[in-house]
């Protein structure tokens, strides 16, 4: 179960609308959807939460590139909606790098049965493509709106969107679409 909403900043305050992400396939599609919510090129926040396990904020300011924050990258990576947000750049990977292993280069030495491969020191080899169980992205995404890095990182996934909306003064409009 997920919830996604758009919060568009207007001259009269925040305007909220719920949104379905089923037709959104890329971050670019999501940014375009956000821009449509504010024809005046004002700030638009896309707020996403997935089963109280992670939340994400995408901020679109006019034609600028979207800014992204995800509370738990590993949890988000298990979600189709989270995968939209977890770009190579956000995860510190080389853009366009192949996510899957090349079958010709696999070393099938018995580790395919779930055993871990150990290096010469007896320690497990870190996976360079592993997704961290921690926040990723722009931790100052809401800094100018009253939620600094420390406050953002302290939010629990089960009530983060409500807390963000409350600080923004948009809790009533968010609740109308929830």
């Amino acid at each position: 179960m997920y919830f996604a909403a758009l919060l568009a900043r207007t001259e009269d305050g925040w305007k909220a609308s719920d949104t379905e992400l089923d037709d959104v396939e890329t971050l670019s599609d999501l940014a375009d959807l956000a821009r449509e919510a504010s024809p005046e090129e004002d700030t638009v926040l896309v707020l996403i939460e997935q089963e109280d396990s992670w939340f994400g904020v995408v901020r679109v300011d006019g034609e600028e590139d979207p800014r992204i924050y995800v509370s738990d990258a590993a949890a988000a990576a298990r979600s189709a909606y989270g995968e939209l947000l977890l770009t190579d750049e956000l995860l510190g990977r080389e853009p366009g790098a192949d996510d899957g292993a090349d079958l010709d280069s696999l070393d099938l030495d018995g580790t395919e049965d779930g055993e871990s491969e150990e290096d010469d020191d007896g320690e497990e080899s870190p996976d360079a493509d592993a997704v961290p169980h921690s926040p990723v992205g722009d931790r100052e995404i809401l800094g100018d709106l009253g939620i600094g890095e420390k406050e953002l990182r302290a939010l629990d996934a089960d009530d983060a969107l409500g807390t963000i909306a409350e600080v923004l003064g948009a809790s009533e409009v968010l609740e109308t679409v929830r």
Side-chain angles (χ1 to χ4, degrees):
M1 201 60 200
Y2 81 96
F3 171 74
L6 298 171
L7 280 179
R9 188 153 109 184
T10 68
E11 291 178 2
D12 301 325
W14 292 94
K15 180 179 105 180
S17 58
D18 63 340
T19 187
E20 290 292 325
L21 300 179
D22 295 339
D23 295 331
V24 176
E25 295 180 9
T26 65
L27 180 59
S28 180
D29 292 344
L30 186 60
D32 290 344
L33 182 69
R35 287 182 185 106
E36 290 172 11
S38 179
E40 299 297 319
E41 296 190 3
D42 290 321
T43 298
V44 178
L45 301 176
V46 181
L47 305 175
I48 302 171
E49 69 181 4
Q50 179 85 34
E51 298 173 352
D52 296 335
S53 63
W54 66 274
F55 70 93
V57 178
V58 178
R59 179 176 178 161
V60 178
D61 293 303
E63 291 300 317
E64 292 182 23
D65 288 341
R67 296 166 57 193
I68 305 165
Y69 176 83
V70 176
S71 67
D72 183 336
R78 294 187 295 270
S79 161
Y81 303 113
E83 288 179 356
L84 285 172
L85 308 181
L86 297 175
T87 63
D88 287 337
E89 181 181 348
L90 194 69
L91 294 173
R93 295 180 182 160
E94 187 69 33
D98 186 14
D99 290 335
D102 180 10
L103 291 178
D104 294 332
S105 68
L106 288 178
D107 181 14
L108 300 177
D109 61 357
T111 59
E112 68 272 9
D113 293 327
E115 302 170 23
S116 62
E117 191 174 330
E118 296 184 2
D119 63 19
D120 294 336
D121 295 334
E123 295 183 19
E124 291 185 21
S125 301
D127 182 0
D129 291 333
V131 178
H133 286 279
S134 62
V136 295
D138 184 349
R139 294 184 173 115
E140 287 295 325
I141 191 169
L142 301 172
D144 64 327
L145 299 174
I147 303 173
E149 175 182 355
K150 184 178 177 183
E151 294 85 4
L152 188 61
R153 290 181 57 116
L155 294 175
D156 288 327
D158 61 342
D159 66 348
L161 301 190
T163 302
I164 290 169
E166 186 175 317
V167 171
L168 299 176
S171 55
E172 287 182 26
V173 294
L174 182 63
E175 285 304 314
T176 62
V177 298
R178 197 177 265 275

